[in-house]
């Protein structure tokens, strides 16, 4: 009997060490609405791209139309590129960090959510840091932003636990520390919302000032009133993890890129933090399981939260898309770890029948 008690005690100690010892996963509970099967038909047809532009441009995380009618993008090497009138891409600026979200202010100046440097403003003299990155500044993972008509900035700080480059740890933990900030001037901000599961892409509707924001780990898009801070769910149960978001004023559609399909097997562990802690130890030895397919994917949702269009590109070896927007009658996509910019036919636009 004594040896049985000792054995049980040793086993309990090993399990405890695996679950909470050094290098353990700080697993949290997250219960998601699963992918909505009613959306599957939107993504059933595989759509071939019209073309790929500049395959040498790596990591075009965001695409943003400028007030000058040109298209801008942020690259992994720190450069911000602009598409010239002749169709070539030329360097506009270099942040010296990792620019992610781009947004132009009413005066035409550029603001950047730089994952390594923070919230930046482009001036004639260079870059002004409005909010710095940790540890000196308040931002841990500056992700995306939109500048409202009155110059206020709504931006996302995706995670307070994991900085840029560690999003898989954030996903496996299912941590919910992301927050939405309202920035009014250099160094001045208020927190509109917190406790969010990797809060990500953001844009606003110029007609009414409402802001739309993606919460990646929950497969959800939020609607936010920046004046009151009131939030409501626009749509949830997306088939993929939503990343950047672009509002198309011409159609009133909210476009969201999805770099990956949802993973039911991994998400099933989110509701069982203790089990996930133990699975994490196995993954440390065996590696991650095969991830879902990552073709180019995007969804268009109207102001009422109705999904009206889904993009699924062909299967490919590249990583998935993190940005999608309609520009010049075409659907332009790119990604955090992709090469080049892939252009598809937009619904009802150029290249469609």
């Amino acid at each position: 009997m004594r040896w049985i008690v000792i054995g049980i005690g040793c086993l309990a100690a090993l399990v405890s060490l695996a679950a909470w010892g050094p290098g353990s996963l700080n697993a949290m509970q997250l219960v998601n609405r699963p992918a909505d099967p009613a959306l599957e038909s939107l993504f059933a047809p595989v759509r071939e791209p019209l073309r790929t532009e500049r395959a040498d441009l790596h990591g075009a995380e965001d695409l943003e139309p400028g007030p000058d009618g040109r298209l801008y993008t942020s690259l992994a090497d720190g450069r911000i590129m602009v598409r010239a009138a002749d169709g070539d891409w030329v360097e506009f600026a270099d942040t010296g960090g990792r620019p992610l979200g781009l947004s132009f202010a009413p005066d035409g100046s550029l603001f950047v959510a730089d994952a390594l440097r923070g919230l930046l403003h482009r001036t004639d003299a260079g870059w002004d840091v409005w909010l710095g990155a940790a540890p000196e500044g308040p931002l841990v993972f500056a992700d995306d932003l939109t500048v409202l008509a009155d110059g206020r900035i709504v931006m996302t700080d995706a995670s307070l636990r994991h900085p840029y480059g560690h999003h898989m740890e954030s996903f496996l933990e299912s941590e919910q520390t992301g927050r939405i900030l309202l920035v009014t001037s250099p160094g001045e901000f208020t927190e509109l919302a917190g406790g969010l599961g990797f809060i990500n892409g953001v844009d606003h509707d110029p007609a009414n000032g409402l802001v739309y924001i993606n919460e990646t780990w929950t497969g959800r898009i939020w609607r936010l009133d920046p004046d009151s801070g009131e939030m409501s769910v626009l749509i949830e149960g997306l088939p993929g993890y939503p990343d950047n978001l672009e509002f198309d004023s011409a159609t009133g559609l909210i476009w969201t890129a999805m770099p990956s399909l949802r993973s039911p097997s991994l998400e099933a562990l989110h509701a069982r933090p203790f089990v996930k802690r133990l699975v994490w130890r196995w993954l440390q030895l065996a590696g991650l399981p095969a991830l879902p397919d990552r073709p180019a994917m995007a969804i268009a949702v109207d102001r009422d939260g109705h999904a009206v269009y889904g993009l699924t590109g062909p299967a490919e070896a590249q990583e998935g898309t993190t940005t999608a927007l309609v520009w010049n009658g075409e659907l332009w996509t790119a990604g955090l770890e992709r090469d080049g910019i892939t252009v598809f036919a937009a619904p009802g636009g150029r290249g469609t029948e």
Side-chain angles (χ1 to χ4, degrees):
M1 183 66 180
R2 176 170 173 269
W3 291 109
I4 294 176
V5 172
I6 292 174
I8 292 173
C10 291
L11 180 60
L14 286 173
V15 170
S16 297
L17 184 63
W20 289 285
S24 62
L25 185 72
N26 186 23
M28 304 178 191
Q29 186 174 55
L30 177 64
V31 179
N32 282 345
R33 176 178 171 179
D36 186 349
L39 299 177
E40 291 179 359
S41 60
L42 289 177
F43 296 90
V46 174
R47 307 178 195 274
E48 295 292 330
L50 301 177
R51 64 187 183 279
T52 296
E53 293 201 0
R54 288 292 298 269
D56 60 318
L57 298 182
H58 177 68
E61 201 274 340
D62 190 21
L63 292 164
E64 186 73 15
D68 55 5
R70 300 187 295 173
L71 188 63
Y72 292 73
T73 192
S74 50
L75 300 185
D77 62 10
R79 290 179 297 161
I80 295 173
M81 307 292 287
V82 60
R83 192 175 189 270
D86 62 2
D88 192 18
W89 289 84
V90 297
E91 183 174 337
F92 171 74
D94 193 325
T95 68
R98 197 342 174 173
L100 297 177
L102 309 175
S103 185
F104 288 91
D107 65 2
S109 62
L110 177 64
F111 283 86
V112 179
D114 189 294
L116 303 181
R117 298 193 60 197
L119 173 60
L120 308 180
H121 181 219
R122 178 71 173 172
T123 69
D124 292 338
W127 295 103
D128 284 343
V129 180
W130 276 40
L131 294 178
E136 292 81 11
L139 301 175
V140 176
F141 195 146
D143 199 324
D144 200 8
L145 75 168
T146 186
V147 185
L148 306 178
D150 59 7
R152 293 179 300 165
I153 300 166
V154 178
M155 72 173 299
T156 55
D157 198 6
S159 168
L160 297 183
R161 280 186 49 78
H162 297 288
Y164 174 74
H166 297 272
H167 59 277
M168 278 306 299
E169 289 96 324
S170 172
F171 171 71
L172 290 170
E173 285 184 3
S174 61
E175 57 100 359
Q176 301 135 67
T177 63
R179 56 183 181 160
I180 304 168
L181 306 181
L182 182 69
V183 185
T184 52
S185 60
E188 299 294 327
F189 70 93
T190 56
E191 184 176 305
L192 295 179
L196 297 158
F198 208 80
I199 199 71
N200 202 325
V202 55
D203 204 354
H204 74 282
D205 181 349
N208 56 29
L210 290 178
V211 176
Y212 300 97
I213 309 176
N214 288 333
E215 188 180 8
T216 303
W217 300 155
T218 64
R220 179 184 296 149
I221 303 176
W222 290 93
R223 182 195 294 112
L224 166 71
D225 183 337
D227 296 322
S228 66
E230 181 180 350
M231 290 178 65
S232 59
V233 174
L234 179 73
I235 188 173
E236 56 186 344
L238 297 180
Y241 298 106
D243 202 284
N244 280 337
L245 181 150
E246 300 285 346
F247 182 82
D248 182 12
S249 296
T251 61
L253 294 179
I254 299 110
W255 283 90
T256 292
M258 295 180 288
S260 170
L261 291 167
R262 301 271 289 275
S263 174
S265 59
L266 289 175
E267 287 192 12
L269 296 173
H270 289 342
R272 303 170 179 85
F274 175 72
V275 174
K276 188 160 53 172
R277 285 175 177 269
L278 298 181
V279 171
W280 168 246
R281 290 303 193 187
W282 168 251
L283 294 179
Q284 286 180 309
L285 297 174
L288 289 172
L291 297 174
D293 289 339
R294 287 166 286 174
M297 287 188 68
I299 189 170
V301 179
D302 66 20
R303 290 182 175 98
D304 296 319
H306 301 129
V308 299
Y309 184 83
L311 168 72
T312 303
E316 54 183 339
Q318 287 217 78
E319 298 287 332
T321 51
T322 59
T323 187
L325 82 157
V326 174
W327 185 71
N328 280 358
E330 296 174 324
L331 181 56
W332 295 66
T333 70
L336 178 74
E337 298 180 10
R338 289 175 69 87
D339 294 321
I341 293 145
T342 308
V343 184
F344 293 84
R350 189 181 306 164
T352 57
E353 296 180 358

